[in-house]
Amino acid sequence: MVAYEDEKAAEAAYDVLWKNTARTAGRDDADLGPVGARRDAVGGPIGYDGAYGVTGQIRVGAALLWVSSDARSEKKLDKTLVKDLAALFSDRAQQAQNGEEPSAAL
């Protein structure tokens, strides 16, 4: 997670950081669900022997968050868990920005 002074600064950094992250994280579009004000995700083969991963970036207010998950194969990757983690991180970031005490339950 990276926190910026305000939403404008976070949005200005979004594309620069995503370009670098996406370049190393796969080639296929992936779905994080309806999280944050902006989100992108890619998935694909990583490493050796058919390992598969999904990496995403989410902007929540003045914060940019990254979520990443991988498994031994695409079939073994729990894509629902990836969406759940993205929702968990973005919900907690929004709670913190709202001045609420973030909960940490999934």
Side-chain angles (χ1 to χ4, degrees), residues 37-63:
R38 186 171 176 195
R39 80 212 58 77
D40 287 285
V42 291
I46 58 171
Y48 300 99
D49 296 328
Y52 188 90
V54 170
T55 298
Q57 177 173 289
I58 306 162
R59 185 178 69 77
V60 178

Side-chain angles (χ1 to χ4, degrees), residues 58-102:
I58 306 162
R59 185 178 69 77
V60 178
L64 296 181
L65 314 166
W66 289 272
V67 61
S68 182
S69 184
D70 59 73
R72 294 185 67 113
S73 70
E74 185 174 6
K75 284 184 175 182
K76 298 226 182 242
L77 181 69
D78 186 344
K79 293 179 181 177
T80 300
L81 176 62
V82 173
K83 288 181 182 181
D84 288 346
L85 290 171
L88 174 80
F89 294 147
S90 65
D91 289 349
R92 298 317 167 257
Q94 188 62 61
Q95 288 173 339
Q97 290 183 64
N98 291 346
E100 302 167 11
E101 185 173 328

